Amino acid sequence: MVTSSAPGKVYLFGEHAVVYGEPAVPCAIERRARVTVEQRSDSKLRVHAEDLSLDGFTVEYSGDADGHPDIDVSESLVEAAMGYVDAAVDQARDAVAEQRGEDAPAVGFDVSIASDIPLGAGLGSSAAVTVAGIDAATRELGVELSSETIADRAFRAEYDVQKGQASRADTFCSATGGAVRVEGDDCRGIGAPDLPFVIGFDGGAGDTGKLVAGVRELRDEYGFAADTVEAIGDIVRRGEQVLADAAEDPESDRIDELGDLMDFNHGLLEALGVSSRSLDSMVWAARDAGARGAKLTGAGGGGCIVALDETDETETALEFTPGCETAFRAELATDGVRVESS
Ligand code: PMV
């Protein structure tokens, strides 16, 4: 039996613009999904999800085309949880076969998932479950993959489940940890100081596909919307430089400039129509409380904001902000995927 964990993430800069080839900087955060995998004596897949911000449920599932889960919860909940686990297990079997130079092993697993990353809220919950699942399942079969290979396998799993609508950002960031620069298929870790993230969650989630399509329409219709997307890319390029300087000299005032760039980035995302009343209220509450900067993170429309504040002021202010369901502090996760017990 092996338990592996992997972190969620926030976007410091660059969501949406990354879809059009601009760079983005996601950062892993110390909120983890933990996946425990134990090999079965048959070839079935049994999944227990404890705390996925869904009600706890257990699914017994054979994993073949006609093997529908035999439980009494809505199909979409089952699909959400099962799709990623199923795809992760397939990738794990395939990776083991590749290493051993033989056919994929027809082994089954008991899988249990516990996650403290809110679901579908722009914090990379599905990527974290997929990454941790691949690591735990391959280790259970006696194979250890590099974090880069896990990132690639997890990307392929998400790509299948999300029907081609996945970028490499979430899975790479979750597998490697730290701050990451993503531009197209080029993903790499970059230096960053320990950033004082505070996250506000409105309890909801945006529809990523619709929000991405909305930005695409605006960009096709108006030159100034295309310029806005490019301007986000300029913010990211400036932000990378500031991050590198701040990593070298954490005592400098560079964190203030990072905050200013986050504010600017949020303004441009707002102009592109992907913010919401609750996200804007949380951003303004953070700024009023003295945060160095604040912006929405991820697709938008609802979900989470991220602010930078070393003090408790922003977290306290967010807790009293109408529209904010919960607020919490999250450190930059320097560890990506890791084994918790085996
Ligand atoms: O909400 P998330 O964490 O899945 O982020 C979506 C980020 C977008 O740039 C809007 C889309 C993408 O695939 O990069």
Side-chain angles (χ1 to χ4, degrees):
M1 185 158 80
V2 179
T3 302
S4 296
S5 77
K9 63 103 214 342
V10 291
Y11 272 96
L12 193 57
F13 307 115
E15 55 275 87
H16 283 286
V18 72
V19 173
Y20 308 99
E22 300 292 348
V25 177
C27 296
I29 54 166
E30 266 315 331
R31 279 258 155 167
R32 289 182 169 263
R34 286 170 199 78
V35 179
T36 301
V37 174
E38 186 167 23
Q39 197 175 334
R40 288 171 66 99
S41 53
D42 58 25
S43 62
K44 285 187 177 176
L45 185 59
R46 185 175 188 278
V47 180
H48 175 66
E50 248 168 48
D51 183 9
L52 278 178
S53 309
L54 306 171
D55 290 335
F57 65 89
T58 303
V59 191
E60 192 136 7
Y61 182 56
S62 69
D64 24 276
D66 53 318
H68 290 297
D70 175 24
I71 56 160
D72 185 22
V73 294
S74 85
E75 194 81 350
S76 61
L77 280 188
V78 178
E79 270 169 23
M82 290 304 299
Y84 291 104
V85 175
D86 214 4
V89 164
D90 274 350
Q91 287 295 333
R93 288 192 187 111
D94 206 53
V96 167
E98 192 177 271
Q99 288 249 331
R100 293 185 180 151
E102 49 191 51
D103 285 345
V107 285
F109 299 100
D110 284 330
V111 177
S112 78
I113 308 166
S115 171
D116 48 31
I117 309 167
L119 267 194
L123 298 184
S125 55
S126 58
V129 167
T130 308
V131 164
I134 292 174
D135 189 56
T138 46
R139 282 175 189 273
E140 175 70 0
L141 297 177
V143 167
E144 214 174 296
L145 303 176
S146 69
S147 52
E148 283 74 18
T149 304
I150 294 173
D152 185 54
R153 290 274 174 189
F155 166 67
R156 289 195 237 170
E158 281 215 330
Y159 192 88
D160 283 349
V161 178
Q162 298 173 10
K163 304 192 172 43
Q165 292 289 325
S167 82
R168 289 183 179 270
D170 286 22
T171 39
F172 187 84
C173 190
S174 182
T176 62
V180 162
R181 180 190 201 274
V182 182
E183 187 171 2
D185 283 344
D186 179 31
C187 304
R188 59 186 73 175
I190 56 175
D194 191 10
L195 296 165
F197 293 127
V198 181
I199 290 160
F201 176 37
D202 70 3
D207 179 334
T208 304
K210 256 197 200 154
L211 291 153
V212 169
V215 172
R216 188 180 297 280
E217 267 170 37
L218 279 177
R219 186 175 165 272
D220 288 347
E221 187 164 354
Y222 299 116
F224 50 79
D227 293 345
T228 304
V229 168
E230 269 179 45
I232 293 178
D234 292 339
I235 291 176
V236 181
R237 281 179 280 272
R238 175 74 196 175
E240 279 178 69
Q241 194 52 53
V242 178
L243 257 188
D245 293 348
E248 265 179 32
D249 179 9
E251 301 306 318
S252 68
D253 60 359
R254 307 303 257 167
I255 305 273
D256 268 334
E257 189 177 349
L258 281 179
D260 292 344
L261 294 172
M262 289 168 72
D263 286 339
F264 213 131
N265 195 161
H266 181 78
L268 297 183
L269 288 167
E270 214 277 321
L272 290 171
V274 298
S275 192
S276 71
R277 196 175 287 264
S278 56
L279 294 174
D280 284 344
S281 312
M282 292 191 287
V283 161
W284 276 106
R287 290 175 184 162
D288 287 346
R292 294 174 189 246
K295 63 182 278 296
L296 68 83
T297 171
C304 290
I305 65 133
V306 55
L308 294 183
D309 188 357
E310 297 85 348
T311 75
D312 294 336
E313 302 286 319
T314 295
E315 193 181 344
T316 307
L318 284 171
E319 274 161 10
F320 289 99
T321 302
C324 177
E325 188 176 287
T326 172
F328 52 91
R329 190 166 266 298
E331 278 170 35
L332 182 73
T334 46
D335 276 359
V337 61
R338 69 180 181 219
V339 60
E340 299 287 346
S341 66
S342 62

